[in-house]
Amino acid sequence: MTAQDAYRQLLTIVRERSTLESVAGLIGWDERTYMPPKGGAHRAEQSSLLARLGHEMMSAPRVGELLAQAEGSELTRDPDAPEAANLREIRRGYDRAVKVPARLVAEIAKLCALGQTIWQDARKKSDFAMFAPSLEKMVGLKREEAQALGFADRPYDSMLNDFEIGATTSEITKVFADLRAELAPLVAAIGASGRKPKKEILAREYAVDRQHLFAQNAAAAIGFDFAAGRLDTTVHPFCSGHGPGDCRLTTRYDLHALNQGLFGTLHEAGHGMYEQGLDPAQFGTPMGTAVSLGIHESQSRLWENQVGRSRPFWEHFFPRAQQMFPGTLEDVGLDDFLFAINSVERSFIRVEADEATYNLHIILRFEMEQALFGGDMKVGDVPAAWNERFRAIFDMTPANDAQGCLQDVHWSCGGIGYFPTYTLGNLYAAQFMEQIRSDLAGLDDDFRRGDFRRLKGWLNEKIHRRGMQFRPRDLCRRVTGKTLSHEPLLRYLRQKYAAFYGV
Amino acid sequence: MTAQDAYRQLLTIVRERSTLESVAGLIGWDERTYMPPKGGAHRAEQSSLLARLGHEMMSAPRVGELLAQAEGSELTRDPDAPEAANLREIRRGYDRAVKVPARLVAEIAKLCALGQTIWQDARKKSDFAMFAPSLEKMVGLKREEAQALGFADRPYDSMLNDFEIGATTSEITKVFADLRAELAPLVAAIGASGRKPKKEILAREYAVDRQHLFAQNAAAAIGFDFAAGRLDTTVHPFCSGHGPGDCRLTTRYDLHALNQGLFGTLHEAGHGMYEQGLDPAQFGTPMGTAVSLGIHESQSRLWENQVGRSRPFWEHFFPRAQQMFPGTLEDVGLDDFLFAINSVERSFIRVEADEATYNLHIILRFEMEQALFGGDMKVGDVPAAWNERFRAIFDMTPANDAQGCLQDVHWSCGGIGYFPTYTLGNLYAAQFMEQIRSDLAGLDDDFRRGDFRRLKGWLNEKIHRRGMQFRPRDLCRRVTGKTLSHEPLLRYLRQKYAAFYGV
């Protein structure tokens, strides 16, 4: 067999595996949208069978043999060529599938299902002690996983890598430290400013069916293709791509919180446009797959914040919002509306945080989980350590653990190393946007006309169509000419809040 | 390995296969309800992958080895025992999976996809010649399949068996001939009757959202469990069970046809209650699977017609219908309403036919496809033969092929042998209902109170919980003490229409 033949067979295998994963994604979407309540137990059976079959496909010895035949051939001569990228990432997936024992995978999956329920209860009762044994066990299992996967420097690198290929603790530590050093004083200055937004504007009564229409129109206007997607409502919003032509967003509406459903939709639409922008001809191969959670988050944050909270965007949409909600926004001026949707306020809950303080919440989690995973912090010490760090950053103390270390689901399901991708997303988004503004003159005029095609086209070409050709940091360097830095995000935030808060 | 061990391993395999099929069913449901328009091509890839994986599971040589070890052991000593029934049907499934070459399965699947599109076009243009080559090819492939599967008497038996285990051409020919001999004169007498229902009652304006509420309430009242199911709308209504706790119905509403959405829902709810009545502990094994299409159809027809079009049912529901549609039914009496929903009229289109004439449509198709499949009729002669037979039965001639031999999708997709199960369903339903009325005194009083629990309980115990323990004819004999006959259906129809039409 030639290296070419081996390569083609590998692509067939990974495509089938991805097709199976796209089915798993779809039944996961159904589980959270339309599944009848009694369907849960069987749905778990279906999901676990699909996961097992997909793992069997990917970890078959045949995959290793084919990889060995294709690697080191002319296909990998140019490391930037699509074939080389595909082989590099298939190798990574195969090694991962083979290195982690099936027993460990099963144990983590089981503890995830169990741990989530326990965490929910613990959060409801604000009782960390209830959750501590599950967390202890999960950290242990994830440490085992890190050992099995291997790592260059620290075991926590292996956790980061699972969500952001190529990320290292040392690199993120540096960028986050730089960010924190300038962001914390900015947030403090905003807190001290005498100017305050009229937040009640967003808490008026906004009919939910009209919110849905408005959100759907906005998502379509920025370029989400509804012939290849949907928008439904769920308790926890998400975006889920199920292969070419089928990407689904969800959001939630609150009668008295216009921003929640709308910005939630723009956020998920940003994710969705990444999925819709992947090359359908490459479906199922690394070249047709989103490269990392951080880059994915950059797309959602870019559309939600850099675009969706900007003045030019609302110069187009504000009159439309006034029409959509008659009698509700007529007495409001654009300036007051913009200030309200760009309000900054220290708060306890990450998912409710604004653009500026959000990153401080992430930095706290990044530090916490490093210490926890590295063994410098005992599970029993988590609540006290959380509160102490929280005070250091925000100068406030959570009233209880539900408001503190119990607020997020991630750890209960083994998502250690996940949090940093949120702030990486903000950093990438700002860095991309600076480059975009330099590449595309007059972009704000596009927005003022409700025309987002040039921006979408740029993202399609520079980010989406690349799939996994380049790893995230490399992609960032190629696209912006610079290594990832905290500066663009800070410049963006400083400029924005100078206008609103006079800081 | 003991026979018990082999048996247990077999159950694990068929359960996994069924789990995969339940996923295939779910994504098929999604395809017809919520899938975005551009998702079709990838959905076809997903479905065909799941079908292939399921076929591989079932046709693995290991299944044959395990069967050989379990068969002829103490497990099969009592042929009525659940273990024996499971082994009998797993054997049947294995033989079927092994006997039909994968190439033939793929060719049929491909022609089905293609043929359906061609058939749709041909029907739209009422041009049989367009569809003839696909039909010719499909008949050829299905004949090949029959040869591969084997048959006792005639190749067409093998087609019948695919939908109704144990059915033979000779047996169905006999029952259908008996039925036709008495039904045709009954329909003619009804046509000659001076009494006519006020059909306009059902064509008034019925708000679709209220139709949905009313249909949903009725389905819940007869016993469909909405915590383990849903009701959505589709162009072509269907019921699809996706494993324990998840069975979904669809229907369609017409602003000016109250009967369509309502009786469609009761029909699908009858199917759904069969699925919900299966033993969840036996999921995926023959003992936890519906036994045949004919028995399945008996459940839908029983609830739709025997119950849903009965006077006692409407003594409960008619006042509720009057309330649900204020201003629409106030001037209508129960008698006129009942006559309208039990109207009989000769017509060209099967799916629009009433309870009486419906079976004549089926008998025509049964005769046609036998002749076609057996080689006594050429594909090119189908339109003329159809019209001639139609005249002989209904004394009317279709104006074109869209109204005649092109009206049904079944043949385009290889569903030869499927039609008879519709009338078998009517026959079973009537025969079951006579037994039920003899077992459960005062059933009509239950209905008048809107209480359907005793009827549902009987069906759960006698039919649903049996799974595939007995083959359809055997089940009928055990439950009713008699072989399948045309007489109960005729008695039921005669009694009903004597009252309405004075015949």
Side-chain angles (χ1 to χ4, degrees), chain B residues 188-249:
Chain B
I190 290 171
S193 163
R195 302 195 200 163
K196 300 287 171 209
K198 294 174 185 150
K199 287 169 62 183
E200 66 76 25
I201 292 168
L202 303 175
R204 295 176 180 183
E205 193 169 308
Y206 294 93
V208 163
D209 57 336
R210 288 180 166 256
Q211 283 194 53
H212 181 69
L213 260 177
F214 193 75
Q216 205 160 21
N217 288 346
I222 63 173
F224 182 79
D225 178 3
F226 277 97
R230 308 180 39 87
L231 174 64
D232 295 271
T233 48
T234 47
V235 179
H236 301 286
F238 64 95
C239 162
S240 137
H242 314 126
D246 190 348
C247 175
R248 308 188 185 186
L249 320 176

Side-chain angles (χ1 to χ4, degrees), chain B residues 97-112:
Chain B
V98 172
K99 279 179 180 170
V100 185
R103 175 212 37 97
L104 186 55
V105 173
E107 274 188 68
I108 292 174
K110 202 173 155 192
L111 184 58
C112 166

Side-chain angles (χ1 to χ4, degrees), chain A residues 16 22 38 46 52 225, chain B residues 16 22 38 46 52 225:
Chain A
E16 284 191 355
S22 72
K38 290 184 186 171
Q46 293 173 320
R52 206 196 73 209
D225 178 2
Chain B
E16 284 190 354
S22 73
K38 291 184 186 171
Q46 293 173 320
R52 205 195 74 207
D225 178 3

Side-chain angles (χ1 to χ4, degrees), chain B residues 263 303-317 334 337-338 341-342 355 433 437 444 447-448 452 492 496 500:
Chain B
F263 290 106
W303 288 104
E304 175 193 358
N305 294 329
Q306 301 265 353
V307 177
R309 293 183 202 270
S310 74
R311 175 175 289 271
F313 179 92
W314 285 103
E315 286 178 14
H316 177 76
F317 279 106
L334 177 59
F337 183 80
L338 280 170
I341 62 171
N342 282 292
E355 262 188 284
M433 203 62 185
R437 290 195 176 278
D444 281 343
F447 296 176
R448 282 185 195 102
F452 302 91
Y492 159 76
K496 165 177 282 192
F500 289 119

Side-chain angles (χ1 to χ4, degrees), chain A residues 266-492:
Chain A
L266 292 176
H267 180 97
E268 302 306 337
H271 283 303
M273 286 157 71
Y274 189 1
E275 292 292 318
Q276 293 186 335
L278 297 169
D279 184 355
Q282 312 285 341
F283 167 76
T285 71
M287 281 298 295
T289 304
V291 66
S292 77
L293 280 188
I295 299 293
H296 228 306
E297 195 70 10
S298 78
Q299 302 304 293
S300 56
R301 302 281 172 152
L302 188 148
W303 288 103
E304 175 193 357
N305 294 331
Q306 301 263 354
V307 177
R309 294 184 201 269
S310 74
R311 175 176 288 273
F313 179 91
W314 285 103
E315 286 178 12
H316 177 76
F317 278 105
F318 190 63
R320 286 164 177 77
Q322 287 178 314
Q323 279 179 353
M324 183 63 89
F325 304 102
T328 313
L329 282 172
E330 275 154 18
D331 64 328
V332 177
L334 177 59
D335 284 333
D336 283 342
F337 183 80
L338 279 170
F339 198 2
I341 62 171
N342 282 292
S343 147
V344 173
E345 202 164 15
R346 290 169 306 157
S347 64
F348 294 107
I349 305 295
R350 174 185 61 88
V351 296
E352 293 166 6
D354 54 75
E355 264 186 284
T357 59
Y358 190 92
N359 300 296
L360 298 173
H361 287 273
I362 295 303
I363 291 169
L364 177 148
R365 283 157 181 77
F366 172 66
E367 293 174 2
M368 287 289 296
E369 62 183 21
Q370 267 185 86
L372 187 61
F373 196 72
D376 302 328
M377 183 190 295
K378 293 210 176 82
V379 165
D381 296 334
V382 162
W386 180 286
N387 291 352
E388 190 188 323
R389 281 161 204 257
F390 197 90
R391 242 184 332 266
I393 297 176
F394 291 101
D395 197 23
M396 316 195 294
T397 308
N400 54 46
D401 292 341
Q403 225 176 48
C405 63
L406 275 178
Q407 67 181 269
D408 293 309
V409 66
H410 303 59
W411 292 343
S412 74
C413 212
I416 296 165
Y418 191 118
F419 286 120
T421 66
Y422 293 124
T423 284
L424 287 174
N426 284 327
L427 295 168
Y428 288 131
Q431 193 155 334
F432 291 156
M433 204 62 185
E434 282 196 350
Q435 186 61 40
I436 291 165
R437 290 196 176 277
S438 123
D439 287 354
L440 308 174
L443 199 58
D444 281 342
D445 290 333
D446 287 18
F447 296 175
R448 282 184 196 102
R449 285 193 313 273
D451 183 351
F452 303 90
R453 287 173 299 177
R454 285 200 302 155
L455 173 56
K456 177 169 172 263
W458 191 98
L459 294 169
N460 281 158
E461 181 200 334
K462 305 278 185 181
I463 312 283
H464 309 166
R465 288 275 161 164
R466 306 268 178 162
M468 301 182 90
Q469 187 168 12
F470 310 113
R471 290 189 163 172
R473 296 305 180 279
D474 193 14
L475 177 68
C476 177
R477 217 168 5 243
R478 281 168 187 268
V479 167
T480 68
K482 303 189 195 78
T483 53
L484 181 67
S485 149
H486 68 293
E487 288 172 5
L489 178 61
L490 263 169
R491 271 195 289 272
Y492 158 76

Side-chain angles (χ1 to χ4, degrees), chain B residues 30-107:
Chain B
D30 180 80
E31 186 173 347
R32 290 183 276 179
T33 50
Y34 296 115
M35 185 184 78
K38 291 184 186 171
H42 185 65
R43 183 58 44 87
E45 297 286 331
Q46 293 173 320
S47 297
S48 101
L49 176 63
L50 292 180
R52 205 195 74 207
L53 293 175
H55 184 265
E56 282 171 11
M57 278 182 188
M58 200 57 203
S59 60
R62 178 96 188 118
V63 175
E65 292 159 24
L66 292 167
L67 272 169
Q69 283 194 278
E71 286 167 341
S73 73
E74 74 287 357
L75 291 166
T76 53
R77 199 157 304 147
D78 172 8
D80 292 341
E83 294 81 4
N86 273 339
L87 287 168
R88 181 185 70 226
E89 301 305 332
I90 295 171
R91 160 62 66 187
R92 181 170 174 269
Y94 173 71
D95 285 351
R96 202 187 141 69
V98 172
K99 279 179 180 170
V100 185
R103 175 212 37 97
L104 186 55
V105 173
E107 274 188 68

